Amino acid sequence: MQSNPSTLPLLEELLMARGPGGQEHEVRDICLRELEPHCDETWVDPAGNVIGLIKGNLSGAETNSPVRIMAHLDEIAMLVKRIEPDGTLRVVSLGGANPINFGVCPVDILGDRDFIPGVLSFGSMHSTGETHQGADVLSGNVNWGDVHVITRCSGEQLQTHGVRPGTRVVLSQHWRRPFRVGDAIAAHFLDDRAPMVASLQAATLLGSRRETLTHDVYFVFTTQEEESNAGALYAASHLPGDATVAVEVGPVVAEYATRLGVDPIINTGDKNGCYHRGIVDQLYQAGRRCGLTPQFALLADFASDASAIMSSGVSAQGGCIAIPTENTHGYELIVDGSIEACAGTLLEFLLNRTKD
């Protein structure tokens, strides 16, 4: 299955948009623009989630309760912890990132009044054990205490730009463009931009087939998934429906017997608990009807919006479908056709959803 040429420009646009948790407006604007033509209603809720509602044909004698499809807007990033007297920034992780996920690279510092450039640094390799930071770099044991951001600005200049503790720091747009590797696309932040594209594509397809839909569908693009699942928890508490399906990237590792390809990963459980067996089976069968061979996986070191809200008791039923992805939370890679395979499976699931 080859990638739809129309998919790639949208994916690149989303990859170039900066979206650290709590400051996802660049991504949100694109998502809202893409949803509006295909949904009966679209809005941004008080938590910052983008929501698109496609109404089902509810004239039949028996209808199902609404379903929520969730992909997240945010990306792993950094937060300014403090500003040193020389204008150097000390940063900590925002979301599940380690310094090695980013490497030494250009960054954008998202001040309250301006964006300014910086360089993420682990220090010089040309040092000895006398330099604690250098020793960590040489041993490969780099932690956030070894990391700083070079700004070449004074403290006063940074204050003018609105840089302060809590300011988001993200990979520069200079570092975000996707890279072609044979039959695959590689980039930072395919998590969760590729699943976003799959969800938007599913909404587009479903919008033209709503007459056969027996339940309402809420497409929810959530905030702050990487750090707290705050957006998903808010949305699930305020939207109708008992079932939530997260659309994610899935790690390709021998531990889970997952493989890189177009066949979506059907997550049976993660560190928050097991997913609903009925939804797991229906996602699998939907993939089979698309001519795919979905991959079951128990992703023990993983979590999603759906498992977070299910484990909190906010949603009665949860499931998770994932695009097979190499180097999750790093320089990620997916193969051509995997976005379309995920979108097709979601469409089949939604059109044939049954009560459990």
Side-chain angles (χ1 to χ4, degrees):
M1 184 180 293
Q2 294 295 311
S3 290
N4 185 335
S6 64
T7 298
L8 299 179
L10 176 58
L11 178 61
E12 181 166 357
E13 185 181 10
L14 286 167
L15 289 167
M16 294 296 289
R18 295 162 290 204
Q23 198 168 335
E24 303 102 332
H25 55 276
E26 292 183 16
V27 186
R28 182 181 297 115
D29 290 346
I30 298 168
C31 184
L32 195 58
R33 179 198 75 201
E34 294 295 315
L35 270 183
E36 284 178 339
H38 310 290
C39 294
D40 296 295
E41 298 176 30
T42 56
W43 69 96
V44 177
D45 73 11
N49 302 306
V50 175
I51 302 171
L53 168 61
I54 296 180
K55 296 179 179 180
N57 179 3
L58 305 181
S59 60
E62 187 168 328
T63 59
N64 293 320
S65 64
V67 177
R68 300 178 291 246
I69 302 296
M70 291 189 175
H72 62 88
L73 299 165
D74 61 317
E75 65 196 47
I76 58 172
M78 292 159 278
L79 289 172
V80 174
K81 183 178 182 182
R82 69 176 184 274
I83 301 172
E84 302 286 13
D86 64 355
T88 295
L89 306 180
R90 294 291 176 172
V91 294
V92 296
S93 172
L94 176 62
N98 293 311
I100 194 172
N101 296 120
F102 298 120
V104 290
C105 63
V107 296
D108 291 338
I109 303 159
L110 309 186
D112 292 336
R113 289 177 288 280
D114 201 3
F115 296 169
I116 60 173
V119 171
L120 190 68
S121 175
F122 302 164
S124 176
M125 292 291 289
H126 295 89
S127 60
T128 69
E130 183 179 341
T131 303
H132 171 73
Q133 181 171 316
D136 285 347
V137 172
L138 289 169
S139 69
N141 185 32
V142 181
N143 56 63
W144 286 108
D146 298 318
V147 174
H148 61 280
V149 176
I150 301 167
T151 68
R152 302 302 296 159
C153 291
S154 67
E156 292 76 15
Q157 288 172 317
L158 291 171
Q159 187 174 18
T160 300
H161 289 296
V163 178
R164 54 172 174 74
T167 291
R168 273 69 170 171
V169 179
V170 300
L171 289 198
S172 169
Q173 288 185 319
H174 176 68
W175 223 242
R176 287 173 171 261
R177 292 199 179 278
F179 184 66
R180 168 64 65 179
V181 184
D183 65 346
I185 293 290
H188 285 287
F189 313 124
L190 290 171
D191 176 12
D192 206 37
R193 305 300 199 267
M196 281 185 66
V197 174
S199 299
L200 289 167
Q201 191 174 91
T204 299
L205 296 168
L206 188 64
S208 64
R209 297 180 62 179
R210 54 169 54 84
E211 70 280 355
T212 62
L213 186 64
T214 61
H215 53 86
D216 291 344
V217 178
Y218 292 88
F219 287 91
V220 187
F221 296 84
T222 64
T223 66
Q224 297 179 279
E225 187 271 350
E226 294 289 2
E227 51 184 304
S228 65
N229 304 103
L233 289 163
Y234 180 88
S237 299
H238 290 79
L239 293 174
D242 294 324
T244 304
V245 175
V247 190
E248 271 286 357
V249 295
V252 174
V253 290
E255 172 182 353
Y256 301 130
T258 48
R259 61 189 182 276
L260 189 64
V262 300
D263 294 321
I265 294 170
I266 309 301
N267 194 349
T268 61
D270 60 33
K271 65 184 181 182
N272 286 326
C274 293
Y275 289 101
H276 189 270
R277 288 179 62 88
I279 291 182
V280 167
D281 183 62
Q282 288 183 42
L283 286 168
Y284 177 81
Q285 294 301 330
R288 294 290 293 176
R289 288 193 298 274
C290 292
L292 302 166
T293 307
Q295 311 174 57
F296 285 123
L298 179 63
L299 304 179
D301 187 19
F302 189 87
S304 75
D305 276 339
S307 68
I309 62 177
M310 191 175 171
S311 65
S312 71
V314 178
S315 184
Q317 301 175 8
C320 179
I321 182 173
I323 297 172
T325 306
E326 288 272 12
N327 295 335
T328 50
H329 277 198
Y331 196 67
E332 296 161 330
L333 184 145
I334 62 173
V335 301
D336 289 339
S338 57
I339 290 175
E340 290 80 1
C342 182
T345 301
L346 280 172
L347 178 66
E348 280 293 315
F349 167 79
L350 292 168
L351 289 174
N352 295 279
R353 168 91 172 121
T354 59
K355 289 183 178 180
D356 295 302

